[in-house]
Amino acid sequence: MGAPAHVLIDRPGDRWRARGSGGPTRLVILALAFGSLACEGSSAPPPGAVLWLSADSLGAEAGTYVEAWPDASGYGHDVAVVPFPPGIRPSGDPPDRRPRLTPPEEGLAGHSVARFDGADDLLGIADADLLNVGGPYGRRTIFLAFRTGVDVRRRQMLFETGGDLRGFNVYLDEGVLRLGVYNLWNDDRGSTTPFGPLTIFAPIRPGTGYLVTLELDQPRGLLRGWLNERPIGSVAGAGRVFVHHEDIGIGAINEDTYYHDGVRQGVPTGDFFAGDVAEILVYNDVLTDRARRATERYLGGKYGLGRQSSPAAPDSGSRLYAASGITDEILRLDPADGSRTGTVDVDRRRGEVDEPHGVAVGPEGLHWYATLSHGEPTLWKFELAGDRLVGRVRLPTAGAARIGITPDGKRAFIPDYDRSRPGHPGKVAVVGLADLSIEATLSPCAGPHHAAPDPTGRLVAVACSLSDEVVILDARTLEEVRRFPVDESPGPPGAPGFKPLNLAWSTDGATLYVAMHLTDAIRAFDRDGNVVGTVTVGDGPAQIAVSPDGRTLVSANRRDGSLSVVAVPDLIEQKRVALDTARPHGVALDTAGATAFVTCEGTPESRARVVAVDLEAGRVKWTADGGGYALGIAYAAGPR
């Protein structure tokens, strides 16, 4: 572990300064425990922590206030109350910023916790080499086990390492928990910076305990997250985080931070947290999967969070949404067995077929969306909790196909897949999802079917089915960046030879996979449009998807009724699973990347089907009724 850092607290004007002994600074792994947690895991976290704060160690009488919080790691990163955050000119008596130490029965599974009042409580840690003023930090993993207060809509800071240009933060906002990292200055001549702010987020509920893990892995360019030990997503484009001198805050902003929406926030706003903090762990290393799980078991077992906090199945509350085009319905299915748990009527014109086509779940996990492609092409927005209709917007297009949502959840790109005028440009509607406003209407190419934002949120790739090409757009300015053919010998406009229908990005955003529907191939391109590989799959690949861990690509093959399972980036077809039903179309993966869910259109003589496939075993798990002419499908982990 090395020698402990010697921290000198020196507060002219209440600004803390620290000197550390140096030591490893490549990564910080932070584990925050908030709320009530039960002793079923190990009795201590894995060794090697450089910060270890446990409310059990406060040694104060329950019901009293936290004056100081000793660091049990041996590095001396002790926590103290911040009477006047830097930048606040003292006037009069300082507010009482001390959180309260709860009695065990009010805490988490018999453990006392530090309860922050959401008004003015603030604890801080002095600048330290191992936490924020060493580095650069190329890796960081954050584990959080926490319990929210009654209000999760207001923006509240749980933990931040400071910095208006560089830093890490964990906060609540609009019913969502966000884990963020950013380095907005070019500190290494463009090698890994600037980047961000990047965030991973998941919905949360009031008065509820959670165990959250965030991992920054700059060598792989990824920011990843888990909620209750289950993956909640990954974001590409992560770089190193350099020195950021602003002091560290617990329960509020101590000095400065930078939010996902571009708001640079400093004192005196504070964004004070209302809830409980039980334990914080920080490691200067990238933990192995085994060590990460051990840390989660320690925190979850002690405080009753994680998987053991609920006896429900791992995907409790998860559901599938499948579009039934002929019946004008969205079917809600249980991913465990395919049983129908609900039906959402999207029939605008009684007696006519409006044909719901695309279905997508917002990355924040609060809303889902569907398109109607006939009559009056429309985008519908629903709440995941209860499937309540939030609103709908008429699209300025001749149709509506798939829904491509940017990683920040702010915009959707919806192509019209207009085949009425072969060779003429179709349209892509750009919709602001907050208020369902039409922000732009683009005409990129002939027969656009799928517009896929990349994981960084910087580019959007458009599959041009009737011109055998892909168009790359700037996701912010909407200007064309480049276009390239999918083959050296494309068909003439309106008569494609390959028909690129659907797309999927690799998890790091470096590779774009293109399904060539008139062939049996998926082709891979780099961001500049250069071919980097091709893989043979079943006949007529339709929708494709990449697993959350980035290792598997699946393809629903429409003409031969199969699902291909492809190892990426090697582009090797490992399995081809016969689905025993007609015309596979849509495909979605669960959060673990273990099961693929496929819609099969059916025929005039047969009903549509939804099929679940175990990817490891290469076998069909279940088959369920899919209504009539099943098209799009989406998996949702469900509102938590």
Side-chain angles (χ1 to χ4, degrees):
M1 180 185 295
H6 300 286
V7 180
L8 304 179
I9 306 288
D10 169 275
R11 302 199 206 176
D14 288 293
R15 170 177 284 277
W16 298 352
R17 294 187 175 88
R19 297 175 188 168
S21 62
T25 58
R26 293 179 306 164
L27 162 106
V28 175
I29 298 175
L30 166 68
L32 299 182
F34 306 93
S36 93
L37 305 173
C39 264
E40 284 187 17
S42 56
S43 59
V50 297
L51 177 67
W52 183 7
L53 305 173
S54 171
D56 283 342
S57 68
L58 286 172
E61 183 180 350
T64 60
Y65 290 88
V66 178
E67 302 282 353
W69 198 337
D71 173 21
S73 74
Y75 282 93
H77 299 137
D78 297 337
V79 174
V81 176
V82 182
F84 291 106
I88 297 295
R89 180 174 298 176
S91 61
D93 295 331
D96 187 351
R97 299 194 182 277
R98 302 172 299 169
R100 185 173 68 90
L101 184 66
T102 70
E105 61 272 17
E106 291 183 19
L108 307 170
H111 295 271
S112 295
V113 296
R115 177 159 296 167
F116 291 74
D117 64 8
D120 54 17
D121 291 350
L122 171 58
L123 300 178
I125 303 175
D127 286 339
D129 287 348
L130 294 176
L131 300 180
N132 66 327
V133 294
Y137 307 101
R139 303 178 179 94
R140 178 162 289 181
T141 306
I142 303 178
F143 303 89
L144 300 100
F146 69 99
R147 183 171 59 197
T148 55
V150 295
D151 178 14
V152 295
R153 307 297 301 179
R154 178 177 60 85
R155 183 169 287 182
Q156 302 167 55
M157 183 60 66
L158 304 178
F159 181 91
E160 54 87 11
T161 64
D164 56 347
L165 295 175
R166 310 166 187 87
F168 296 81
N169 52 30
V170 181
Y171 56 97
L172 313 181
D173 187 36
E174 294 293 330
V176 168
L177 172 72
R178 290 187 177 268
L179 313 174
V181 60
Y182 55 96
N183 197 109
L184 307 181
W185 197 256
N186 186 350
D187 289 310
D188 54 8
R189 299 184 178 181
S191 175
T192 70
T193 62
F195 74 92
L198 303 180
T199 59
I200 292 175
F201 41 92
I204 53 175
R205 295 183 297 187
T208 304
Y210 298 94
L211 175 59
V212 176
T213 305
L214 176 149
E215 177 187 271
L216 169 67
D217 187 352
Q218 182 277 316
R220 295 180 62 198
L222 292 177
L223 180 67
R224 300 195 299 167
W226 293 259
L227 181 65
N228 290 343
E229 304 178 55
R230 299 161 195 139
I232 57 173
S234 64
V235 180
R240 295 184 293 173
V241 178
F242 284 73
V243 173
H244 41 294
H245 284 281
E246 288 83 351
D247 296 335
I248 296 162
I250 301 171
I253 301 171
N254 194 359
E255 198 161 345
D256 284 298
T257 198
Y258 201 89
Y259 287 118
H260 68 282
D261 54 6
V263 173
R264 173 190 174 275
Q265 191 64 66
V267 294
T269 299
D271 291 337
F272 295 97
F273 171 57
D276 299 333
V277 176
E279 196 156 335
I280 301 176
L281 285 164
V282 178
Y283 293 85
N284 270 353
D285 196 2
V286 173
L287 298 189
T288 64
D289 286 345
R290 181 177 180 179
R292 172 178 57 80
R293 288 192 294 267
T295 307
E296 291 169 335
R297 284 195 297 270
Y298 161 72
L299 292 171
K302 182 177 180 180
Y303 298 105
L305 300 184
R307 289 184 185 270
Q308 62 266 45
S309 65
S310 167
D315 281 320
S316 176
S318 61
R319 74 284 305 272
L320 297 169
Y321 292 104
S324 175
I326 296 299
T327 63
D328 289 343
E329 297 170 319
I330 307 295
L331 311 181
R332 190 178 69 231
L333 308 176
D334 186 335
D337 58 10
S339 60
R340 189 178 300 189
T341 59
T343 302
V344 179
D345 186 350
V346 289
D347 191 0
R348 291 295 306 276
R349 302 176 303 154
R350 301 296 177 183
E352 301 287 341
V353 175
D354 293 298
E355 192 180 296
H357 187 129
V359 189
V361 175
E364 84 292 344
L366 296 176
H367 299 97
W368 63 276
Y369 304 85
T371 55
L372 291 188
S373 56
H374 292 172
E376 296 183 352
T378 311
L379 175 68
W380 298 52
K381 178 179 181 179
F382 298 89
E383 290 181 345
L384 267 177
D387 296 330
R388 185 183 71 86
L389 177 65
V390 176
R392 56 193 173 210
V393 59
R394 170 72 163 86
L395 301 173
T397 53
R402 299 192 65 186
I403 307 165
I405 302 178
T406 53
D408 61 9
K410 293 182 178 180
R411 269 182 170 175
F413 292 78
I414 304 170
D416 63 4
Y417 192 37
D418 184 5
R419 293 167 290 172
S420 64
R421 299 186 304 154
H424 289 77
K427 295 181 179 180
V428 175
V430 183
V431 181
L433 293 180
D435 57 0
L436 294 179
S437 59
I438 303 298
E439 297 184 348
T441 305
L442 313 176
S443 299
C445 56
H449 181 264
H450 186 200
D454 80 334
T456 71
R458 298 169 186 163
L459 300 178
V460 178
V462 182
C464 306
S465 67
L466 300 184
S467 57
D468 280 348
E469 62 185 337
V470 172
V471 174
I472 305 295
L473 306 174
D474 184 303
R476 184 179 61 85
T477 67
L478 307 181
E479 296 177 352
E480 182 177 320
V481 176
R482 66 184 63 87
R483 67 175 60 214
F484 52 88
V486 297
D487 190 83
E488 294 178 351
S489 303
F498 300 89
K499 198 172 186 179
L501 269 184
N502 295 292
L503 311 167
W505 288 93
S506 61
T507 53
D508 62 2
T511 305
L512 177 67
Y513 301 104
V514 181
M516 319 258 263
H517 186 58
L518 295 183
T519 73
D520 59 358
I522 295 173
R523 186 155 289 166
F525 298 85
D526 65 19
R527 291 173 75 88
D528 295 322
N530 302 305
V531 177
V532 296
T534 302
V535 60
T536 299
V537 294
D539 193 16
Q543 288 191 20
I544 58 179
V546 174
S547 61
D549 65 6
R551 298 176 181 176
T552 304
L553 171 73
V554 295
S555 171
N557 306 315
R558 187 173 184 270
R559 281 193 296 276
D560 74 358
S562 69
L563 178 80
S564 289
V565 183
V566 178
V568 290
D570 300 326
L571 289 176
I572 299 172
E573 186 185 36
Q574 296 179 316
K575 302 178 182 72
R576 191 178 301 177
V577 183
L579 302 180
D580 297 325
T581 187
R583 299 175 182 171
H585 181 110
V587 66
L589 292 165
D590 65 1
T591 53
T595 304
F597 304 96
V598 186
T599 51
C600 299
E601 298 170 7
T603 68
E605 295 78 30
S606 64
R607 294 278 290 179
R609 312 296 286 173
V610 179
V611 182
V613 177
D614 183 321
L615 298 183
E616 179 66 26
R619 63 174 179 83
V620 172
K621 297 172 65 175
W622 52 256
T623 300
D625 180 69
Y629 193 46
L631 297 173
I633 188 168
Y635 174 91
R640 295 177 171 89

